[in-house]
Amino acid sequence: MKLITFTKKGIYCPQGKFYIDPWRPVDMAVITHGHADHARWGMKKYLCHHFTKPILHQRIGTDIECQSIEYGEVITINDVKLSLHPAGHIIGSAQVKLEYKGYVTVISGDYKVQEDGLSTPFELVKCNEFVTESTFGLPIYNWLEVQDLNKKLQNWVLKNKENNKTSVFIGYSLGKAQRIMKAVEELGKIYVHYSIGKLNEAFETVGIDLPEYTIADFRERPKEMEHEIVIVPPALLDSNIIKKIPDPATAICSGWMQVRGARRWRSADAGFAMSDHADWKGLLQTVKATEAELVHVTHGQTEVFSKYLNETGIKAHVVETLYGDEEEESEKENPENPES
């Protein structure tokens, strides 16, 4: 039985007549999470988790038709039972479980098995068919425990204070920035770029507490940030805004920082391997634990990961999709103009 097909518009459930994270306009779109490579403009109707709804309103528009449901809540669409289950990726991220005549398919979107203290922890869902990402699907990617990584960030900030430097963290506006805030919340005043502040509001509207922060005014008051903590999106790396900050020391927070030769590494003072995706072990453990008979690998290190799964006895194949670097999709607005 086939519950999903891969089309030019995206992942389609023919029995239910809806798409999951489509990249072209469709009538009905089930959205796994709020990153822009999975949640796009132009759908007639959206369905997502309650926590993702304010993010879609923030990024796509308040006039969209959007239904939201709770984790584990089952709704039936054209005889297909659909439910959302925590993916652990970012706030509101969900795996989509489809069940039809006893056959179960799970589309995981992006996921992380580490608990980060902000996202609802990942929930394993057994299934017949599993759709997985493989962003960091190479053995070199193995994340530190969250508390150990946070300690590294904290030590870096303390060292910068001793050297009269301003700690400037580079991290995705949705997911990464909020983790950085939690990691360093007691070490100084936190300033965030306006794009991060807008998304912080989405967290706060669903009852998630974030550390106290100030929207940074880079045009008129950069002096007040001196020797404090500043968090900006990756689009600002090497920008004029960074140059306005007094005595900046910059650190990129990204899973790509696991490899010292990562893109843009040389233009920053430090790098921390902080990721909202599963590492190599997390991917393997998850795929095996689902007990899926068929695995679709949609984006990332697809060829390597798919080949390894097949060699270990798990039937897997690569599927071409338009998912990828959520930051390249999400930070296209002019980073230096708060009105853009």
Side-chain angles (χ1 to χ4, degrees):
M1 178 183 294
K2 279 191 175 182
L3 260 183
I4 56 171
T5 59
F6 297 89
T7 75
K8 292 181 179 180
K9 293 184 177 181
I11 303 172
Y12 182 59
C13 174
Q15 292 88 344
K17 296 181 173 59
F18 56 80
Y19 289 79
I20 299 92
D21 291 350
W23 45 83
R24 292 182 181 173
V26 299
D27 288 343
M28 175 64 175
V30 182
I31 303 299
T32 61
H33 65 284
H35 279 145
D37 59 328
H38 289 257
R40 298 173 187 259
W41 178 87
M43 315 303 162
K44 287 187 179 179
K45 184 176 181 180
Y46 295 82
L47 174 66
C48 62
H49 184 265
H50 291 320
F51 288 1
T52 298
K53 188 173 183 177
I55 296 171
L56 298 189
H57 282 161
Q58 186 72 254
R59 288 194 147 171
I60 299 174
T62 56
D63 58 344
I64 62 173
E65 183 179 350
C66 183
Q67 177 186 358
S68 62
I69 59 176
E70 186 53 86
Y71 289 129
E73 181 180 345
V74 179
I75 62 173
T76 301
I77 306 176
N78 298 321
D79 296 326
V80 175
K81 293 180 180 179
L82 181 150
S83 56
L84 303 180
H85 302 266
H89 176 54
I90 60 168
I91 177 178
S93 61
Q95 303 171 83
V96 181
K97 177 185 177 184
L98 308 177
E99 184 172 355
Y100 181 74
K101 295 183 178 180
Y103 190 86
V104 176
T105 296
V106 171
I107 301 95
S108 62
D110 290 332
Y111 62 94
K112 174 173 85 272
V113 296
Q114 276 189 333
E115 292 188 28
D116 61 22
L118 281 174
S119 310
T120 305
F122 179 86
E123 175 187 308
L124 181 73
V125 182
K126 293 185 182 296
C127 55
N128 302 95
E129 190 175 17
F130 188 60
V131 180
T132 183
E133 60 145 311
S134 60
T135 303
F136 293 102
L138 292 174
I140 58 172
Y141 294 111
N142 291 287
W143 312 140
L144 289 175
E145 294 295 327
V146 171
Q147 59 268 29
D148 294 334
L149 177 60
N150 287 349
K151 188 67 175 177
K152 283 182 172 289
L153 269 65
Q154 293 159 10
N155 289 339
W156 186 72
V157 170
L158 292 173
K159 181 180 178 182
N160 288 336
K161 284 184 174 293
E162 290 177 2
N163 295 328
N164 296 317
K165 291 285 188 177
T166 303
S167 299
V168 182
F169 288 99
I170 316 293
Y172 292 176
S173 297
L174 175 57
K176 203 70 61 65
Q178 292 77 24
R179 286 183 61 184
I180 297 167
M181 290 173 65
K182 292 289 285 184
V184 301
E185 62 180 315
E186 297 179 357
L187 300 181
K189 192 169 183 179
I190 298 174
Y191 292 86
V192 303
H193 187 258
Y194 81 97
S195 64
I196 296 170
K198 287 194 302 182
L199 289 162
N200 285 350
E201 293 174 6
F203 280 68
E204 292 156 356
T205 59
V206 296
I208 294 179
D209 292 328
L210 293 173
E212 186 177 340
Y213 64 92
T214 300
I215 302 295
D217 185 343
F218 295 102
R219 293 171 296 182
E220 296 182 6
R221 298 197 303 275
K223 183 68 177 176
E224 68 184 16
M225 306 172 208
E226 188 173 16
H227 307 158
E228 300 293 353
I229 299 164
V230 183
I231 307 173
V232 299
L236 266 67
L237 186 62
D238 299 327
S239 71
N240 289 329
I241 282 181
I242 297 286
K243 295 172 184 177
K244 293 177 183 178
I245 299 172
D247 304 314
T250 56
I252 300 174
C253 293
S254 168
W256 304 115
M257 294 301 102
Q258 181 88 34
V259 181
R260 289 189 62 87
R263 179 168 57 105
R264 299 189 291 185
W265 168 263
R266 294 182 185 85
S267 60
D269 298 298
F272 299 100
M274 174 184 283
S275 178
D276 289 324
H277 296 262
D279 62 6
W280 172 256
K281 291 179 181 178
L283 289 168
L284 287 178
Q285 291 170 358
T286 299
V287 170
K288 290 178 181 178
T290 65
E291 299 179 2
E293 299 139 24
L294 176 61
V295 177
H296 309 280
V297 186
T298 58
H299 58 291
Q301 304 293 335
T302 52
E303 295 291 345
V304 173
F305 192 60
S306 176
K307 181 180 179 182
Y308 186 87
L309 291 177
N310 280 297
E311 289 174 350
T312 59
I314 298 172
K315 186 178 180 182
H317 71 118
V318 175
V319 178
E320 295 295 329
T321 65
L322 295 186
Y323 309 130
D325 189 331
E326 58 260 25
E327 190 64 16
E328 290 180 359
E329 293 288 344
S330 301
E331 307 298 346
K332 286 180 179 176
E333 68 265 24
N334 181 352
E336 300 190 28
N337 181 7
E339 304 304 323
S340 65

